[in-house]
Structure formats: structure tokens, C-alpha cells
Amino acid sequence: MVRIEKVSGRDVLMESEIPFLKVFKKGKVREVYELGDYLLIIATDRLSAFDVVMKSGIPHKGIYLTKQSSFWFKFLNQKGYLTHFVTDDIAEMAKLTGEKRLLDLPWLKGRTMLGKKAELVPVEAVCRFRVFGSAVPALKEKKWIWDAPEIDGEIKEGALIKNGPLFTPTEKSETDDKISFDQMVTIVGDKTRAEEIKNKTLEIFKLVNDHAQKTFGFEIADGKIEWGLHGGKLMLIDETFTSDSARFMPDKSKEFFRSWLKDNNLKGQAVALPDDIALAVADLYASQCRSMRVL
């Protein structure tokens, strides 16, 4: 059953249901259905932090995420990178797949992408231009396991990595454990493929960050992308440079919400958000879309 709740009078999609399609996967935020040779990817309005899904959602969050992802997938397609993105237009999805019943589900609009199926590469391709989050203690405690960063001055939140971006992968799992490049080679099973993932990830981060700074006036401090294999070739999948998968400067991500959880001793707990906090997070997501001129 589709579950739509209200936050401060606004609709919030917490769960989807499409009875005539087979569920492929339901994640923390996205719910995916099989549709022939494609996957129908729905971004709900659920919010997760510290690997926990909150009890209440963020108005229009899934729509904001889809706008961000769609923009960057189209941008990267134009630059010659293979991505899973096909369309974010429901009418076109119905036409391509022949599944006209999609047109009868108004809640899909704005929060849905059609993607090509791919074999998942079980690695989170993380890159960093600056030191944030877990990178700070990793460097201070000599637990850094990747290429050595060049940092001027003190190791602190926001410190610039002069030789960035640096590739700092994690394992694709519930806990996203940090892995070295050698460990990634073992997981992928092919050193040449692992090097291709690293090199293409670095290329994409440089390309997107350069475009974001020159065109939109913000910087991508760090983030992650995911890869799949399609016809034996690497293909970018999942989401790209959204407020959930990247950190921006000035900050327009969910760091505000993570800080609120920590300040209120709620880290790791599934909580119902006060309306003012939910709306503040929604405003950050909307602001990022406005910066990108997609809202």
C-alpha cells in the first residue's frame, strides 16, 4: 500500500507500491521495480542518517534528489560517460516500456527515473577534495589507508586536500566499511577493472566539481558514486551528486540534520522529526536544486 503522510500540511511519500510490477529492491530511500529490460527507480521522501531511517520524512525530498540526479546523469551522458539513466519523464517511460498503467499513478511524477539494468559492482566509489567526517580521525589517528593527502596546516573539518580529489573507496554494505585499493581489487576480482573504476571516478569528480564551481558557484567537498557492468562495460548507476550522496560548500546537504541528531544525543536512533527541522532540511535540498537551476 502506498503510504503518504503529512508534515506541516505537505505530502510526504514514505512507501510506494506498484502491484503490477515486481519489486527489485527496497533501500533506505529508493524503491526499485523491474520493468522488462529496465529498472523503475523511485526516490521516496524518507530520510536516513548514520545508517538509520527516520520515522518521518522530508517534504518533496525524493523530487529534489531526482532533479539533482537527472541533471548530472544527463550532463555525464553528454560528456561521453555510460550511465544507466534513460528518462525521468513518466509519459516517456510508459511509451518506451509499453506499461501505460504508470500514467495512473500521479505520485510517481517528479520522483522517478527509468534506468538500464546492470550488474552491481559492490564498491562505493568515494572521492574527497576536502577533509570531512570520518576522514578527520582517520588522518589524526594514522588510520588513513589510501593515497597520501597533501594538506596545508591543521587537519580539521574542511581542510583542503591540495592533491585532491583522492579516491577513498568503501565496501558496498550496510556499514560501508573502508577498504584499501588492494582490498578493492580483491572484491572486484580484476586489477585492471579496479584501476578503471578508480580513474573514471577521479575523472568524473574533477569534471563535475569544475562545472559546479564555474557554473553554479558551489564546490563538491566529497561524495560517492556507484558503478555497474552493462554489456561488460562500466556504467554509472544509482544516484549522482545529490544532497544525499555528496557534501557541498557552501553546505546544502543533510549535514545540518546529522548535527541536530548529535546535538540532541539522538545519533543512531530512528526518530520522528519536529516539523521545523523537517522543513529546514527540505529547504536545504530545495536550495541546492535552485543553485543548479533545476527548480
Side-chain angles (χ1 to χ4, degrees):
M1 181 177 179
V2 176
R3 180 159 65 96
I4 297 176
E5 299 179 352
K6 293 284 186 181
V7 171
S8 195
R10 305 183 193 180
D11 285 348
V12 174
L13 178 69
M14 295 301 291
E15 290 184 57
S16 72
E17 183 183 50
I18 305 179
F20 52 87
L21 294 183
K22 180 182 177 181
V23 174
F24 179 79
K25 178 185 177 182
K26 292 206 173 188
K28 293 186 181 76
V29 174
R30 284 171 177 74
E31 301 188 344
V32 185
Y33 296 83
E34 292 191 49
L35 190 48
D37 294 330
Y38 304 100
L39 295 175
L40 192 74
I41 305 161
I42 301 164
T44 71
D45 295 325
R46 294 195 297 266
L47 179 67
S48 70
F50 304 112
D51 296 318
V52 177
V53 178
M54 300 300 114
K55 292 181 180 178
S56 57
I58 304 298
H60 309 307
K61 175 177 178 277
I63 293 173
Y64 299 143
L65 291 180
T66 301
K67 285 182 178 294
Q68 292 172 6
S69 255
S70 294
F71 175 86
W72 289 117
F73 275 130
K74 292 172 185 176
F75 173 82
L76 290 167
N77 280 343
Q78 291 170 356
K79 297 297 182 179
Y81 289 93
L82 183 64
T83 83
H84 74 155
F85 179 84
V86 177
T87 183
D88 55 3
D89 181 81
I90 302 297
E92 189 173 351
M93 293 177 202
K95 183 177 179 180
L96 280 171
T97 65
E99 187 49 85
K100 296 183 179 179
R101 287 175 289 182
L102 295 174
L103 300 172
D104 299 326
L105 304 175
W107 52 268
L108 286 177
K109 186 176 181 181
R111 62 173 70 250
T112 309
M113 290 193 304
L114 191 69
K116 300 169 189 172
K117 286 182 178 177
E119 178 189 347
L120 176 70
V121 176
V123 169
E124 300 245 316
V126 180
C127 271
R128 302 175 188 272
F129 285 94
R130 291 183 179 270
V131 176
F132 274 106
S134 62
V136 177
L139 285 168
K140 287 186 174 181
E141 297 166 16
K142 311 296 184 185
K143 295 179 180 178
W144 189 266
I145 58 174
W146 306 289
D147 295 337
E150 297 175 9
I151 299 172
D152 279 336
E154 182 185 355
I155 296 172
K156 61 181 181 179
E157 293 279 320
L160 178 67
I161 300 172
K162 294 199 308 179
N163 57 331
L166 292 186
F167 184 64
T168 61
T170 66
E171 189 174 4
K172 179 69 176 172
S173 65
E174 286 299 314
T175 52
D176 296 337
D177 295 327
K178 298 174 179 61
I179 54 173
S180 67
F181 180 76
D182 287 342
Q183 288 173 307
M184 189 181 88
V185 171
T186 300
I187 291 170
V188 173
D190 183 327
K191 186 175 182 180
T192 300
R193 179 71 79 190
E195 289 174 342
E196 183 185 10
I197 290 169
K198 177 180 179 178
N199 293 335
K200 283 193 173 181
T201 299
L202 290 168
E203 285 176 13
I204 284 173
F205 268 79
K206 289 175 184 176
L207 178 65
V208 169
N209 189 47
D210 185 60
H211 185 76
Q213 290 191 65
K214 289 181 179 178
T215 308
F216 302 136
F218 66 85
E219 177 186 339
I220 296 168
D222 60 23
K224 64 97 177 173
I225 56 179
E226 294 188 30
W227 293 98
L229 293 173
H230 182 78
K233 295 182 179 180
L234 272 185
M235 182 167 74
L236 198 62
I237 62 171
D238 194 54
E239 61 180 324
T240 48
F241 303 102
T242 70
S243 296
D244 275 7
S245 65
R247 190 188 323 254
F248 309 111
M249 292 184 67
D251 184 31
K252 293 174 183 175
S253 64
K254 62 181 182 182
E255 284 307 303
F256 161 80
F257 177 64
R258 292 191 184 100
S259 297
W260 178 81
L261 287 173
K262 289 187 284 188
D263 291 346
N264 289 276
N265 296 315
L266 296 171
K267 181 180 177 180
Q269 298 183 43
V271 299
L273 280 63
D275 281 4
D276 62 329
I277 298 299
L279 294 179
V281 176
D283 286 345
L284 280 173
Y285 281 68
S287 176
Q288 183 62 29
C289 287
R290 285 193 291 269
S291 294
M292 295 169 59
R293 304 167 196 166
V294 295
L295 188 64

